[in-house]
Amino acid sequence: RRFVGHRLAATLVDADDPRRTHDVDDLRGRPVVLGLFHADGCVGCSAVFDRLRDGLCERLDGDELPAIFAVTPQTKDTTPLSKLYSSSVPLVTGPTDLFLQGDLFEADRIYFLIIDTRGIVRFVSPIAPDSDDIDAALDEVLAAVEQQEDHASRSRR
């Protein structure tokens, strides 16, 4: 409830090159998928991001993919994030206030936020990589992205 229906303004910092940033506001005009998770505590999350990306490639069949980012909180830990995460989806760090500053975000889940072309969060879904219903949960996220992509393509016409 904290996110849905609200504009999300955040600057994401590339985990490999901190000089490269992505401002969510600059991505307006196309759907954006943010997967919020803790890179140091989520076993199997990399594979979920790859499955999501592969599913989007299949469903959108030639259409331009939405911007997709794996977002982990900024930490003072010196372990390189690339050792904790291996996926085709870019890893970025996000401000800690994006992670609700509390126990609401569980370390073993990814919280997918689907953002429309105007920067408004339209859908949020938690996914546990080891859950029995991961296929259904991913399908729900894919459908939400596909819906936003349909809205974006209609508005471009």
Side-chain angles (χ1 to χ4, degrees):
R1 285 184 235 190
R2 177 178 185 224
F3 293 111
V4 175
H6 300 281
R7 224 175 113 257
L8 182 72
T11 299
L12 310 172
V13 179
D14 189 290
D16 293 326
D17 182 1
R19 296 171 297 181
R20 189 170 46 195
T21 62
H22 308 275
D23 193 322
V24 174
D25 278 339
D26 293 342
L27 299 171
R28 283 161 123 187
R30 67 187 231 197
V32 176
V33 179
L34 301 181
L36 307 179
F37 77 118
H38 292 273
D40 59 351
C42 190
V43 176
C45 282
S46 298
V48 174
F49 282 106
D50 285 335
R51 286 181 64 185
L52 177 70
R53 187 178 187 291
D54 292 347
L56 287 172
C57 287
E58 284 178 28
R59 284 187 179 213
L60 299 178
D61 192 39
D63 290 343
E64 185 177 323
L65 288 181
I68 309 169
F69 294 101
V71 186
T72 191
Q74 298 167 339
T75 65
K76 294 179 175 137
D77 188 3
T78 58
T79 304
L81 290 172
S82 59
K83 291 189 184 245
L84 303 171
Y85 173 84
S86 174
S87 173
S88 58
V89 174
L91 178 65
V92 296
T93 59
T96 53
D97 64 335
L98 190 59
F99 290 82
L100 300 178
Q101 297 179 349
D103 297 328
L104 295 178
F105 271 83
E106 297 176 46
D108 63 343
R109 295 198 180 349
I110 304 169
Y111 293 83
F112 285 104
L113 279 64
I114 312 304
I115 303 169
D116 71 11
T117 57
R118 295 184 329 256
I120 307 294
V121 177
R122 294 295 172 195
F123 182 81
V124 177
S125 179
I127 294 182
D130 60 353
S131 71
D132 292 336
D133 64 345
I134 190 166
D135 292 330
L138 269 172
D139 193 51
E140 193 174 299
V141 172
L142 289 167
V145 174
E146 197 172 27
Q147 182 181 26
Q148 291 308 313
E149 189 61 39
D150 286 346
H151 287 291
S153 65
R154 279 193 296 242
S155 66
R156 287 190 286 255
R157 292 181 196 159

